[in-house]
Amino acid sequence: MTRLIVWRHGNTDWNAGARVQGQTDVPLNDLGRRQAVDAAELLVRMRPAAIVASDLSRAADTAAALAALTGLTISTDERLRERHFGEWQGLTMAEVAAERPEEHARWTAGADVIGGGVETLEDLGKRVSDALQDAARQAPPGGTVVVATHGAAARQGVGHLLGWGREQLRTLRALQNCHWVELTHDSARGWQMAAYNVGVLAERPVPPPV
């Protein structure tokens, strides 16, 4: 049985300010770096065979905390980047709601945003799911792979991998910073979710996964 850990990056100043990051390369802040170290101390007990990360620094630097404990080399994959939020990137969610109310209403309802250059949920789910499956192949039989990615990317990619519909996926709360999803795979049952939103107790309320 292969085990796949899909790990959201640590906190950033834009997370703390509810500002839309998308594919903007925002670094971890001091809290985020502490979260990464604390989470890595739990994840190292799973004896990962490989670590894969989004090439955006907040995910790659989160993965680096685990690499420092394991001695593993991090493989990066740009398909693991966060959802591209187009013209929303750099705005706070309050600004999006005020300046682009129709787009914001569709996002809140879990529908694709029309306009603004925001990536569709289907495109996001497919690219992240493809990357997760390729990452899983880096593990030997019975091994564990840890994948450091982003909030919306993790949830949509996992949902696509499991074959979940949009309404079913909306029942999952956003991943907290530096928390993860545990998936397993075997030839008889395929992919299954073993755990969701696992990690060290959060130090502050969870911002939207953008």
Side-chain angles (χ1 to χ4, degrees):
M1 180 180 292
T2 299
R3 179 166 57 180
L4 186 64
I5 304 298
V6 184
W7 186 21
R8 187 186 179 195
H9 63 77
N11 194 262
T12 71
D13 287 344
W14 283 26
N15 283 150
R19 193 172 296 278
V20 182
Q21 296 179 120
Q23 295 188 6
T24 308
D25 198 4
V26 183
L28 296 176
N29 57 22
D30 288 343
L31 172 60
R33 286 187 285 273
R34 291 199 305 272
Q35 289 173 329
V37 170
D38 289 345
E41 291 176 352
L42 296 180
L43 291 171
V44 72
R45 301 174 191 174
M46 298 184 183
R47 299 184 178 181
I51 304 172
V52 184
S54 157
D55 60 347
L56 296 178
S57 63
R58 59 189 183 272
D61 290 348
T62 296
L66 181 58
L69 298 180
T70 62
L72 295 169
T73 300
I74 300 168
S75 300
T76 58
D77 189 335
E78 66 180 21
R79 294 175 298 173
L80 293 167
R81 289 182 180 183
E82 181 58 291
R83 185 179 187 182
H84 183 61
F85 277 90
E87 295 173 27
W88 293 25
Q89 293 180 179
L91 300 177
T92 64
M93 290 308 299
E95 289 169 339
V96 173
E99 298 172 18
R100 314 180 78 94
E102 293 183 4
E103 295 173 14
H104 183 266
R106 290 186 63 84
W107 175 79
T108 301
D112 279 324
V113 175
I114 299 174
V118 179
E119 185 177 13
T120 69
L121 292 169
E122 177 64 22
D123 287 348
L124 172 64
K126 184 178 188 309
R127 71 166 166 85
V128 178
S129 174
D130 288 348
L132 293 177
Q133 292 186 78
D134 286 346
R137 295 185 184 103
Q138 296 194 30
T144 296
V145 176
V146 175
V147 176
T149 183
H150 308 263
R155 187 165 60 170
Q156 203 67 30
V158 165
H160 197 278
L161 191 66
L162 294 171
W164 288 8
R166 192 171 295 189
E167 289 306 311
Q168 185 177 7
L169 191 53
R170 276 176 57 77
T171 64
L172 295 177
R173 292 189 62 184
L175 276 179
Q176 296 174 315
N177 285 117
C178 256
H179 282 51
W180 58 86
V181 185
E182 181 180 343
L183 303 170
T184 60
H185 183 274
D186 64 45
S187 58
R189 289 166 290 191
W191 286 104
Q192 294 184 303
M193 182 183 290
Y196 184 82
N197 228 350
V198 181
V200 180
L201 183 65
E203 298 186 39
R204 62 178 62 188
V206 186
V210 296

